[in-house]
Amino acid sequence: MRLLKVATCNLNNWALDFDCNLKNIKESIGRAKEAGAVIRLGPELEITGYGCEDHFLELDTVTHAWECLKDLLLGDWTDGILCSFGMPVIKGSERYNCQVLCLNRKIIMIRPKLWLANDGNYRELRWFTAWKQKDQLEDFQLPNEISVALKQKSVPFGYGFIQFLDTAVAAEICEELFTPIPPHADLALNGVEVFMNASGSHHQLRKLDYRIRAFISATHSRGGVYMYSNHQGCDGGRLYFDGCSCVVVNGDMIAQGSQFSLKDVEIVVAQVDLDAVAGFRGSISSFQEQASCKTKIPSVAVPYNLCQPFNLKMSLSSPLKINYHSPEEEIAFGPGCWLWDYLRRSGASGFLLPLSGGADSSSVAAIVGCMCQLVVKEISNGDEQVKADAIRIGHYANGEFPTDSREFAKRIFYTVFMGSENSSQETRMLAKKLADEIGSWHLDVSIDTVVSAFLSLFQTLTGKRPCYKVDGGSNVENLGLQNIQARIRMVLAFMLASLLPWVHNKPGFYLVLGSSNVDEGLRGYLTKYDCSSADINPIGSISKQDLRTFLRWAATHLGYSSLAEIEAAPPTAELEPIRSNYSQLDEVDMGMTYEELSVYGRLRKVFHCGPVTMFKNLCYRWGARLTPSEVAEKVKQFFKYYSINRHKMTVLTPSYHAESYSPDDNRFDLRQFLYNARWPYQFRKIDELVKELDGEKVPFSESGDHEKMGTTLDGGGGMGVIAAGSGNPKSGH
């Protein structure tokens, strides 16, 4: 037997915080050594943090990474343990995303990334070059300061593996695993038994299974030990890196770390028998045949043994059941952990949320409540870092610390019901009930006097006073009145967030939380610069359907029973007067259901459908209940309002990324924001298809009623050919 103990880890590093990152790296190595591991794998670009983005273009970032690596190698951190560190390296004129493999205070080799992640949220080709020379290792001259300190002038650089006396080890970096021909395929044929994948992979709802299946597939048909390490936490942006570091052997998961956690460092240790890998490969005839005619990959010989012989004191890790969270748990724990990282690293003293008693703002409140529960739980489990952060943020004194989530929420969470004459008593009471269940400091204020002051000013300036539609006003008047309410709430929210700590003799400021969901962003069903405008938004990339399912789950599992009542109520903005014969409803305002929006969103983004292709797809999907003419009208209506309101995405509050069809304009969904919203060519093609399918001509008014269904004409900066103004009056309050 060749017994090998390996350690991989989840690290909650922070982009450009080299002190924080170095501390976490050292702690992970120390704990790996304590466990008896002889290989320690860390995440991709762990020294700098993955999310440095354009800071990777700065020489300082690369220089500081080398300084941190020197610190690690001059100490005893790598004594007796092979460590893989992620950092940027400049070779000649090119900058590479590298894993630096070190042992016994020396750099063994530097492995640059072959295939860079360059889609979705990733832009690695903006900062790095892919390594293309795969037939040989080159000599890399170490920076002079590093060379002098380590007494080592050069190291092998390139694609290859390390050949120890008793096994072969290689690196595979994140995206490379998911390529059509991943490196581990040829490496396995060259005798590599241990693969180390350093990753920077973010959370997305229902995505983990795809990732884990890739690890299992990597070793299921070719054998091997596959180690995976990932970041965990918010490292400074919209992404939450969701950990789940693990070890897979011959297609079986034998060790798995947490997906969501408040810990800064989590170690995952496994003990394997490499003879089981050799035996597995020897039993596969096709593997033997392909290995006999393999393409030779260069290697670095290291005269060192990693394995131990048969020893009953060392027990082998057994296959385990893979742990997956339900989507409802993902919504609770992912954004909850992201909020905690943002709060503790921003210097803020807490959160303020405009709480309407509706599904969206109540979902945000429940996520903050979940965060408070996680903090108290981690403190009770002995996490000193979480405890120290909670004491600082909550302003505890005299040795006190959080022991009750409701008491902690009272210290760090304000909720405000900003009611008007259009608010119902039911939503007011539900907001108060939920705030009590969570423990937040709750305020109930009326904005009617402020609204009246604005209208009086407008009347003084123009001689006219607008009326709601139910009182005989036009669409323009109706929407203008709704937008006034929505924007007043945004201004009031920021004023309260900055001044309430002062009122209560607390230092610092509060972060304003937004609560618009992904479907409203896609449709543009929100007022520009209303309560959707905040500091951060934990649900901005989550669908309405998923949020409603989450509310039902949270009512039971988080202990907030009022959420069941909130979920059962029909979604409404409560911006128009309530009458016996009229009640404002979101789906009526939008002219489409939230379920339909999810379908449109996935076809547009995930399946890359333009109007014509979407029409064709939906004819198949909805053909049993809708005629081609009806499908055509729905597709046209969606693209009309999507394009009219696209400009709103340019100022969308930074949101937790959780959904594959997010319209986030910052980095994930890069598109123009000035459209010809009539789509004349595309819609004409749809009309031609409809005519072929059912023999009737489908008219589409190019002039259209541009005020219909909440698309306003005011103050939008001229965005969109069809008078795309401030937009739909969804307050988000």
Side-chain angles (χ1 to χ4, degrees):
M1 300 183 80
R2 290 177 295 145
L3 301 180
L4 180 72
K5 183 170 280 192
V6 299
T8 182
C9 57
N10 297 330
L11 296 187
N12 192 342
N13 287 1
W14 191 5
L16 294 179
D17 190 339
F18 292 94
D19 287 336
C20 164
N21 301 346
L22 192 57
K23 173 179 173 291
N24 289 345
I25 291 168
K26 288 180 177 180
E27 183 176 340
S28 70
I29 298 172
R31 289 166 60 179
K33 282 185 167 185
E34 287 176 10
V38 293
I39 297 179
R40 176 269 178 197
L41 171 66
E44 182 178 14
L45 296 167
E46 62 180 318
I47 292 179
T48 57
Y50 184 85
C52 297
E53 299 187 320
D54 280 2
H55 288 291
F56 283 125
L57 303 178
E58 300 167 4
L59 289 178
D60 277 3
T61 304
V62 180
T63 300
H64 297 332
W66 278 113
E67 291 165 350
C68 291
L69 182 65
K70 182 179 75 170
D71 185 307
L72 290 165
L73 292 174
L74 289 180
D76 61 358
W77 300 102
T78 61
D79 289 357
I81 186 168
L82 175 67
C83 292
S84 181
F85 302 116
M87 59 178 278
V89 175
I90 294 176
K91 183 179 187 297
S93 301
E94 306 92 44
R95 183 183 294 99
Y96 294 99
N97 176 348
C98 297
Q99 288 301 117
V100 182
L101 287 80
C102 305
L103 174 67
N104 292 331
R105 311 189 189 201
K106 297 293 182 184
I107 300 173
I108 304 301
M109 71 174 290
I110 298 176
R111 162 65 154 85
K113 195 171 183 178
L114 307 177
W115 306 108
L116 299 175
N118 208 57
D119 51 19
N121 286 296
Y122 298 99
R123 297 287 179 273
E124 289 184 12
L125 277 171
R126 181 181 174 98
W127 312 302
F128 301 110
T129 300
W131 180 255
K132 301 173 181 67
Q133 290 75 38
K134 299 181 183 178
D135 56 345
Q136 64 180 2
L137 290 167
E138 297 186 3
D139 204 39
F140 175 75
Q141 298 296 316
L142 292 172
N144 186 62
E145 184 181 345
I146 306 301
S147 175
V148 171
L150 302 183
K151 298 180 174 58
Q152 184 178 9
K153 292 184 178 180
S154 63
V155 297
F157 187 104
Y159 174 51
F161 62 92
I162 303 176
Q163 182 65 62
F164 290 94
L165 296 175
D166 48 5
T167 188
V169 179
E172 184 169 68
I173 308 174
C174 197
E175 176 73 10
E176 295 172 354
L177 169 65
F178 304 100
T179 57
I181 306 176
H184 66 255
D186 284 333
L187 288 166
L189 296 176
N190 276 263
V192 172
E193 295 177 310
V194 181
F195 305 95
M196 302 184 296
N197 188 311
S199 183
S201 190
H202 68 277
H203 173 240
Q204 190 168 290
L205 289 172
R206 305 174 180 89
K207 175 188 171 187
L208 182 61
D209 177 62
Y210 168 74
R211 196 189 308 163
I212 288 181
R213 278 189 283 114
F215 308 148
I216 292 173
S217 175
T219 60
H220 186 266
S221 60
R222 57 183 66 90
V225 177
Y226 205 94
M227 302 170 61
Y228 171 79
S229 177
N230 193 17
H231 295 273
Q232 188 173 63
C234 167
D235 80 339
R238 291 162 170 80
L239 304 183
Y240 178 83
F241 296 94
D242 62 338
C244 203
S245 294
C246 59
V247 181
V248 175
V249 177
N250 295 344
D252 291 323
M253 178 80 74
I254 63 169
Q256 180 184 3
S258 66
Q259 187 178 11
F260 308 108
S261 173
L262 302 186
K263 294 183 175 70
D264 282 345
V265 178
E266 181 181 355
I267 293 293
V268 178
V269 178
Q271 186 149 289
V272 301
D273 175 16
L274 293 183
D275 280 354
V277 175
F280 184 90
R281 290 175 174 176
S283 67
I284 304 173
S285 176
S286 59
F287 184 92
Q288 299 292 303
E289 290 299 315
Q290 291 187 358
S292 69
C293 58
K294 62 184 176 290
T295 300
K296 188 171 176 60
I297 296 175
S299 62
V300 178
V302 177
Y304 188 84
N305 286 298
L306 290 178
C307 302
Q308 293 189 32
F310 174 69
N311 183 351
L312 285 178
K313 293 181 179 179
M314 298 177 66
S315 59
L316 294 178
S317 301
S318 301
L320 50 80
K321 182 180 179 182
I322 300 171
N323 180 42
Y324 291 109
H325 288 287
S326 68
E328 297 78 21
E329 290 172 327
E330 290 184 81
I331 292 171
F333 302 143
C337 292
W338 181 76
L339 283 177
W340 177 246
D341 277 343
Y342 203 101
L343 177 61
R344 70 190 181 112
R345 288 172 170 169
S346 67
S349 298
F351 297 118
L352 182 137
L353 171 68
L355 179 61
S356 70
D360 293 336
S361 61
S362 297
S363 295
V364 174
I367 289 169
V368 176
C370 178
M371 182 203 78
C372 294
Q373 293 182 17
L374 290 173
V375 168
V376 171
K377 182 179 179 181
E378 280 303 315
I379 292 174
S380 67
N381 289 338
D383 192 309
E384 291 300 321
Q385 183 61 57
V386 174
K387 182 178 178 180
D389 288 333
I391 290 172
R392 173 178 54 83
I393 295 167
H395 306 293
Y396 289 88
N398 303 319
E400 295 181 341
F401 56 87
T403 57
D404 177 80
S405 64
R406 293 184 72 255
E407 186 275 334
F408 185 53
K410 180 73 74 174
R411 289 173 176 261
I412 65 145
F413 189 30
Y414 287 118
T415 51
V416 189
F417 182 87
M418 303 184 197
S420 74
E421 61 183 3
N422 303 320
S423 303
S424 68
Q425 189 62 28
E426 181 184 13
T427 54
R428 172 178 274 105
M429 294 306 297
L430 284 173
K432 176 68 167 61
K433 184 177 179 182
L434 177 60
D436 289 342
E437 290 172 346
I438 293 170
S440 66
W441 190 290
H442 187 67
L443 299 173
D444 186 333
V445 300
S446 172
I447 63 170
D448 286 334
T449 55
V450 186
V451 173
S452 179
F454 269 94
L455 292 177
S456 296
L457 175 62
F458 181 83
Q459 188 172 14
T460 300
L461 290 171
T462 66
K464 292 188 175 183
R465 192 176 184 91
C467 297
Y468 288 103
K469 184 168 59 178
V470 295
D471 297 326
S474 66
N475 280 333
V476 172
E477 294 171 77
N478 194 59
L479 293 167
L481 287 169
Q482 294 178 72
N483 287 333
I484 291 170
Q485 298 169 67
R487 290 181 173 132
I488 284 172
R489 286 172 173 141
M490 184 272 289
V491 174
L492 180 58
F494 275 96
M495 185 181 79
L496 292 173
S498 62
L499 292 178
L500 278 178
W502 166 71
V503 171
H504 293 145
N505 296 315
K506 295 180 180 179
F509 60 95
Y510 275 40
L511 294 164
V512 177
L513 297 179
S515 57
S516 58
N517 62 61
V518 70
D519 298 321
E520 292 167 351
L522 178 66
R523 167 60 171 75
Y525 186 60
L526 52 96
T527 300
K528 203 173 186 180
Y529 306 118
D530 71 342
C531 278
S532 65
S533 297
D535 289 308
I536 51 175
N537 180 357
I539 66 165
S541 184
I542 302 175
S543 73
K544 189 76 162 190
Q545 289 177 291
D546 281 338
L547 287 174
R548 297 193 73 159
T549 305
F550 163 71
L551 289 174
R552 292 193 294 270
W553 174 88
T556 301
H557 293 84
L558 295 181
Y560 307 143
S561 60
S562 61
L563 293 176
E565 299 175 67
I566 292 168
E567 188 278 329
T572 173
E574 291 197 336
L575 291 168
E576 295 182 68
I578 301 171
R579 298 286 188 267
S580 59
N581 62 346
Y582 177 77
S583 180
Q584 184 181 23
L585 297 174
D586 287 358
E587 293 183 334
V588 175
D589 275 356
M590 292 191 298
M592 58 193 74
T593 67
Y594 283 109
E595 182 179 359
E596 288 171 342
L597 271 171
S598 290
V599 173
Y600 298 144
R602 287 189 170 87
L603 288 174
R604 181 198 69 100
K605 177 65 179 176
V606 181
F607 297 100
H608 312 293
C609 293
V612 177
T613 306
M614 184 181 291
F615 166 74
K616 293 177 180 178
N617 274 272
L618 291 178
C619 279
Y620 284 111
R621 183 178 293 206
W622 292 344
R625 61 184 179 88
L626 296 175
T627 67
S629 300
E630 292 170 328
V631 173
E633 283 305 313
K634 284 182 174 291
V635 171
K636 291 174 182 178
Q637 184 186 49
F638 165 70
F639 273 100
K640 172 184 173 181
Y641 288 110
Y642 156 75
S643 55
I644 285 173
N645 290 302
R646 179 66 194 187
H647 66 97
K648 297 176 185 176
M649 297 303 96
T650 64
V651 295
L652 197 67
T653 295
S655 302
Y656 179 99
H657 178 85
E659 184 54 78
S660 60
Y661 68 92
S662 169
D664 170 32
D665 183 74
N666 173 264
R667 61 185 293 166
F668 184 69
D669 189 44
L670 306 181
R671 300 170 194 252
Q672 70 209 67
F673 55 87
L674 176 62
Y675 282 87
N676 184 342
R678 297 180 181 88
W679 301 81
Y681 186 92
Q682 295 91 331
F683 286 4
R684 188 167 64 248
K685 289 295 180 183
I686 292 176
D687 291 344
E688 291 170 3
L689 287 169
V690 171
K691 188 175 181 180
E692 291 175 15
L693 290 170
D694 62 14
E696 67 179 38
K697 188 174 181 180
V698 181
F700 176 73
S701 170
E702 287 205 353
S703 59
D705 177 5
H706 310 316
E707 301 168 60
K708 187 178 179 182
M709 295 180 189
T711 304
T712 69
L713 299 172
D714 64 353
M719 302 298 180
V721 173
I722 300 184
S726 63
N728 307 66
K730 177 69 189 298
S731 72
H733 131 255

